[in-house]
Amino acid sequence: MTAPTAAEYFDLGEYLRTEAVRVNRALSLAMEKAEVLLPAELHAAARHAVLSGGKRLRPVLCMTAYRVCGGKSPRVSELAAAVELIHAYSLAHDDLPSMDDAELRRGRFTTHRVYGEDAATRAGAALIPLAALQAWRGALAVGCDRDTARRVVTELCLAGGAGGMVGGQALDLRAEEACVSASELDRLHALKTGALLTASLRIGALAASAPAPILAALDAYGRSVGLAFQVTDDVLDATANAEQLGKRPSDMALGKTTYVAVHGLEAATRRAAAEVGRARAALEAVGVDDPALHALAEYVIERRW
Ligand code: GRG
């Protein structure tokens, strides 16, 4: 009988819960500080967008990468909160009537459903500079010098911008009316979902002064995990119900080109598993054997919401 590996011992459920508590604390504090910056109605809408649940996967990846690269500051949750602020804005905008027109998100009413379209749009926009500020302050809080802090903020802005998430969303909107090839679908999601997920890891690694080969390996891990995540999102949209997802499945109704539509359910599921294998191999190639990173990659395809 072989002894269980560290990854088999690892309790991911407990890890995710503990880390999410830290992230939520940092996000609550960030939103408290933002109270003086935003008018009351806008602040309430932004708070709703940020503090209404969610898996907190991106900040958890950021904090994990930071520690794997030798980072020691407990204040890394403040830095990690920055990527979640960008994620929260993107979800609030993605749910708007002019986009996915969604009523539910994370089992609750969406921001525009509660506060109206105008407030949800402005609150989402207000979260973008708030995220940049959070990244800057978070980087300094964990002890980065100003050059590294600038790199961290740049990383976040590039991943969230037209060459990253916003660019991916633009391609996605266009794809609703056009026929998309398999490689175009990969590119779209590498930008829309992969860029921010990868930046989360890179930001954690940069803040811990990771050497270039480790940064590159985390980058490759992030790109594969990002694709696996999106393929799984499409599989869940096609197979799970609203109660499991915390939102109404919408890809079919919106006529979206998904991995399931292009490849079929089985091939899409195989693709997600293959990407997880690639992610793990990227880490192994540089001798990073971290149970949390391995377990997080598996979780991305095994999750049910
Ligand atoms: C107007 C072109 C334009 C861009 C605006 C709206 C937007 C920017 C970008 C959309 C980005 C987007 C919604 C990506 C989807 C990523 C995704 C799969 C989200 C679900 O993430 P989870 O499962 O959600 O981590 P939780 O709820 O757990 O946080």
Side-chain angles (χ1 to χ4, degrees), residues 113-137:
R113 178 73 167 65
V114 179
Y115 294 94
E117 196 173 341
D118 181 64
T121 307
R122 285 185 292 122
L127 287 175
I128 304 169
L130 219 57
L133 202 59
Q134 183 75 19
W136 174 255
R137 289 180 175 156

Side-chain angles (χ1 to χ4, degrees), residues 177-295:
E177 292 120 39
C179 200
V180 177
S181 70
S183 63
E184 284 167 337
L185 193 62
D186 277 0
R187 169 150 176 74
L188 185 168
H189 289 300
L191 297 176
K192 182 179 157 182
T193 310
L196 188 60
L197 217 132
T198 305
S200 305
L201 291 148
R202 287 178 59 87
I203 286 170
L206 282 170
S209 308
I214 303 290
L215 200 60
L218 284 169
D219 198 292
Y221 168 94
R223 280 182 274 122
S224 281
V225 166
L227 269 180
F229 184 88
Q230 186 58 53
V231 177
T232 305
D233 222 57
D234 290 355
V235 168
L236 287 172
D237 198 273
T239 56
N241 60 33
E243 201 188 328
Q244 291 163 314
L245 290 178
K247 61 178 186 176
R248 286 197 187 97
S250 61
D251 291 344
M252 281 268 272
L254 293 167
K256 286 201 172 171
T257 308
T258 67
Y259 281 98
V260 175
V262 171
H263 300 284
L265 200 56
E266 268 182 39
T269 308
R270 275 198 306 276
R271 172 73 192 279
E275 289 300 337
V276 167
R278 246 177 234 133
R280 296 178 66 136
L283 298 184
E284 274 155 28
V286 292
V288 172
D289 182 18
D290 179 71
L293 285 177
H294 285 309

Side-chain angles (χ1 to χ4, degrees), residues 55 58 87 89-90 94 99 106 169 192 229 233:
K55 297 180 283 296
R58 292 154 192 80
H87 175 59
Y89 119 72
S90 80
D94 196 46
M99 299 229 199
R106 299 163 167 174
Q169 175 77 347
K192 182 179 157 182
F229 184 88
D233 222 57

Side-chain angles (χ1 to χ4, degrees), residues 35-52:
E35 213 165 346
V36 292
L37 301 173
L38 303 176
E41 189 212 10
L42 217 54
H43 185 258
R47 231 182 154 277
H48 181 89
V50 173
L51 298 173
S52 296

